[in-house]
Amino acid sequence: MKADHERWVDASLTYEDRFREVHEPCEMQTETVASTLLPVERMPRFVYSAACTSKERTVSKGMGRSPDPRLMLPFIVRGKRLYTFFDLSRSDSPFADFVDLNGFDEEDAFECWWNDADKLRWYVDLMNRCLNKLTGRHGLMLDRKHKRYYFPPEDVNQKRQVDYFTLSGRKSKLSVAWEPTRKKTGEGKGFWEHLAVSLRFEKVDSASWCLSIRPERRFTKDGNVPLSPKRTTKKATIRKSRMFNVDVRKEVHFWRDFLSDGDPRIIFDFGQQSIVVPTDFIQPTVQWPGVFGDMPKEQTIEYSDDLFSTFAYSQILDYEKVELKDDE
């Protein structure tokens, strides 16, 4: 086909025609691009640390009860110090049995952490561990090897479905863990397919962050045991080859709707500070050569505050006002 086309070009087009096609500027189009990034509105300002001689696993297993079940308590242990967004000096600290407050420290994240390469990696580790908390509360499992979260089956050999709102705002059900079947016989194909997602906080400017959502797939033999890498690669390639931009957009929206519970923002609450992620995707406008209007015109839903989401957000704002007053 390539050789036939080259012969047609040689026979049909003059040198001037071919030069003009290559060098003449193409028409530029201005379009709004649908991204897979959610903006981060608020970030933890402080990182608290104290001396700790225990390993992370030991601390995780022996931690006391959280003072509030809604709080998230991500932490890391580096160089015999425990770091967290939770104020370790609080009397109800669940880390009390593992830290020595004689070495207590409170550092400004923007000044001390974001501008230091090593500490920035630690800061990102802390934030990504918040994602473990968020996804765990939504019943997702972590594929540590590939750093993605996925839906397990509802029960042994029982497919899983979840409710969500589509892009048009219609309530629907979506299969998220199932065994594909043959159309003619209805028999199972001998493997399970799971919706999965890669989530990660990204620093995109000196003081700006976003949450990246990347839809993925996980394939298992029986809903639990992973397929071999060779079989997984083949099935993932086939699946992705049949997904177009619209399909990816629908999956990204599903994850936004599922993880936010249909609220206008995702809140990671650490007590006196938090991460707040609005659920409106970043939509940059770009100028590029392209086909104008090739993106389908679809409705997009916006989440509105209700009594509960308004109350939760107002608490976050109250915390920040108290912190600011204390600083002043």
Side-chain angles (χ1 to χ4, degrees):
M1 291 175 63
K2 180 174 181 294
D4 289 343
H5 180 70
E6 288 176 344
R7 282 192 291 270
W8 176 86
V9 170
D10 288 336
S12 305
L13 300 179
T14 65
Y15 175 80
E16 289 76 11
D17 292 333
R18 281 176 275 173
F19 182 86
R20 188 181 305 112
E21 285 193 5
V22 172
H23 293 279
E24 280 190 351
C26 58
E27 184 179 357
M28 303 295 287
Q29 306 289 349
T30 300
E31 294 184 301
T32 299
V33 179
S35 76
T36 63
L37 304 175
L38 294 176
V40 177
E41 180 182 299
R42 283 175 170 78
M43 295 289 291
R45 177 180 173 182
F46 298 105
V47 178
Y48 302 94
S49 68
C52 174
T53 57
S54 301
K55 295 182 179 180
E56 286 185 359
R57 183 174 298 182
T58 303
V59 177
S60 182
K61 290 182 178 180
M63 282 174 56
R65 177 175 295 183
S66 169
D68 186 334
R70 295 172 299 179
L71 297 184
M72 295 184 181
L73 303 171
F75 72 93
I76 58 174
V77 177
R78 300 287 188 272
K80 295 185 179 181
R81 292 189 68 83
L82 185 145
Y83 298 91
T84 181
F85 296 135
F86 182 84
D87 187 352
L88 293 173
S89 64
R90 287 178 51 168
S91 58
D92 56 356
S93 171
F95 300 102
D97 294 336
F98 297 96
V99 297
D100 180 4
L101 291 181
N102 290 327
F104 175 76
D105 195 10
E106 174 184 323
E107 295 184 271
D108 190 303
F110 180 81
E111 294 180 357
C112 305
W113 284 64
W114 293 5
N115 298 316
D116 182 287
D118 291 330
K119 287 188 174 182
L120 178 61
R121 285 194 291 270
W122 295 356
Y123 191 87
V124 172
D125 284 345
L126 275 172
M127 290 199 301
N128 288 332
R129 294 194 182 195
C130 302
L131 297 173
N132 294 348
K133 307 293 184 182
L134 175 68
T135 53
R137 294 179 182 185
H138 283 80
L140 300 178
M141 302 291 288
L142 173 60
D143 178 356
R144 295 184 180 277
K145 182 177 180 180
H146 299 97
K147 297 181 180 179
R148 61 191 174 197
Y149 305 94
Y150 66 95
F151 285 99
E154 191 70 39
D155 204 346
V156 179
N157 296 325
Q158 184 178 352
K159 76 174 183 179
R160 184 171 181 176
Q161 291 183 313
V162 298
D163 295 324
Y164 81 109
F165 285 94
T166 65
L167 277 169
S168 60
R170 179 174 55 87
K171 190 174 183 179
S172 181
K173 281 186 175 291
L174 182 67
S175 295
V176 294
W178 71 98
E179 182 182 10
T181 57
R182 303 183 188 281
K183 292 184 178 180
K184 292 185 178 180
T185 63
E187 295 178 343
K189 294 184 177 181
F191 69 92
W192 278 66
E193 185 170 346
H194 309 252
L195 286 192
V197 65
S198 173
L199 301 171
R200 185 169 179 83
F201 285 102
E202 304 281 357
K203 188 170 182 286
V204 293
D205 201 349
S206 60
S208 300
W209 294 75
C210 64
L211 176 60
S212 168
I213 302 177
R214 188 177 69 187
E216 296 193 9
R217 285 292 191 279
R218 177 179 169 87
F219 296 93
T220 61
K221 297 178 181 179
D222 54 3
N224 184 34
V225 180
L227 285 180
S228 65
K230 183 176 181 180
R231 293 186 66 191
T232 295
T233 300
K234 180 179 179 181
K235 296 185 183 304
T237 301
I238 293 174
R239 170 61 64 187
K240 290 296 184 180
S241 68
R242 297 172 181 172
M243 290 184 67
F244 297 94
N245 289 343
V246 174
D247 303 310
V248 175
R249 185 183 181 192
K250 288 179 179 179
E251 281 203 20
V252 171
H253 163 73
F254 162 76
W255 285 109
R256 170 185 69 161
D257 186 81
F258 177 74
L259 294 173
S260 69
D261 297 316
D263 287 341
R265 61 191 66 85
I266 303 172
I267 297 177
F268 303 79
D269 192 353
F270 312 119
Q272 292 177 314
Q273 53 183 357
S274 62
I275 298 175
V276 178
V277 182
T279 50
D280 293 326
F281 286 110
I282 297 173
Q283 293 186 311
T285 300
V286 297
Q287 189 174 40
W288 55 6
V291 180
F292 183 77
D294 62 332
M295 287 295 292
K297 300 298 182 182
E298 289 193 13
Q299 290 180 301
T300 58
I301 63 174
E302 295 182 359
Y303 301 111
S304 301
D305 274 304
D306 56 22
L307 180 63
F308 298 103
S309 64
T310 301
F311 177 72
Y313 190 50
S314 65
Q315 282 190 311
I316 297 299
L317 297 180
D318 288 342
Y319 284 145
E320 292 193 356
K321 289 178 182 178
V322 171
E323 287 295 313
L324 180 60
K325 185 176 181 180
D326 290 344
D327 290 344
E328 292 175 347

